[in-house]
C-alpha cells in the first residue's frame, strides 16, 4: 500500500502563497493524485487532481486560476502551488490517490480514492 506524506502548510496573510508537497512512498504509474481540503464543520472538498500519465489536470471551481497542480515523477511528488490565498482557503489539505480513471470522473467523491495522507494545515488570515 502506498503511503502519502503532505508538507508545506502554514500560516499566511491573504494574498500570499504556499506550495504544498505530496510525496508517495513508491512510484505507481497511471494513477490519479488529488488534493482535497476540509475546513472545520464542513465536508471534504475537491481542490485539484492530476492524471499522472498524461498530466491531465482538473480544478475545483473555488480555486481555478489561483492554484496549480504539478508533478515531479523523479521525486514521486505532486505539488499544489497556491497563490492569491483567501481566508476561505483555510483548511486541512489532504493528498489522495486513486485509479487513473478517477481523474475523468465528473465528481469529487472521496470514496474513489484509496490512499490518503495525514494532511497539512493551511491558515489564511485577513
Amino acid at each position: 500500500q502506498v503511503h502519502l506524506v503532505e508538507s508545506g502548510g502554514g500560516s499566511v496573510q491573504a494574498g500570499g502563497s504556499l506550495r504544498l508537497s505530496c510525496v508517495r512512498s513508491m512510484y505507481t504509474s497511471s494513477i490519479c493524485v488529488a488534493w482535497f481540503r476540509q475546513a472545520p464543520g464542513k465536508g471534504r472538498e475537491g481542490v485539484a487532481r492530476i492524471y499522472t500519465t498524461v498530466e491531465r489536470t482538473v480544478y475545483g471551481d473555488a480555486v481555478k486560476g489561483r492554484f496549480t497542480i504539478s508533478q515531479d515523477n523523479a521525486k514521486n511528488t505532486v505539488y499544489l502551488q497556491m497563490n492569491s490565498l483567501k481566508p476561505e482557503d483555510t483548511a486541512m489539505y489532504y493528498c489522495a490517490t486513486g485509479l487513473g480513471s478517477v481523474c475523468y470522473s465528473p465528481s469529487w467523491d472521496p470514496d474513489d480514492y484509496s490512499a490518503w495522507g495525514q494532511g497539512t494545515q493551511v491558515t489564511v488570515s485577513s
Side-chain angles (χ1 to χ4, degrees), residues 38-116:
Q38 188 166 18
K42 295 187 177 181
R44 202 157 286 194
E45 176 189 15
V47 174
R49 63 193 186 207
I50 184 168
Y51 180 29
T52 58
T53 302
V54 297
E55 296 195 5
R56 181 181 187 272
T57 60
V58 178
Y59 296 92
D61 290 341
V63 306
K64 284 179 181 177
R66 299 188 297 122
F67 290 11
T68 302
I69 189 170
S70 62
Q71 64 179 353
D72 184 337
N73 286 333
K75 297 181 179 180
N76 289 346
T77 301
V78 169
Y79 302 99
L80 184 68
Q81 178 66 44
M82 306 187 296
N83 298 329
S84 303
L85 283 162
K86 305 175 182 180
E88 51 263 44
D89 294 319
T90 295
M92 185 71 79
Y93 283 70
Y94 298 91
C95 175
T97 61
L99 296 175
S101 58
V102 170
C103 268
Y104 290 86
S105 170
S107 66
W108 293 87
D109 188 349
D111 290 339
D112 288 338
Y113 299 83
S114 57
W116 291 81

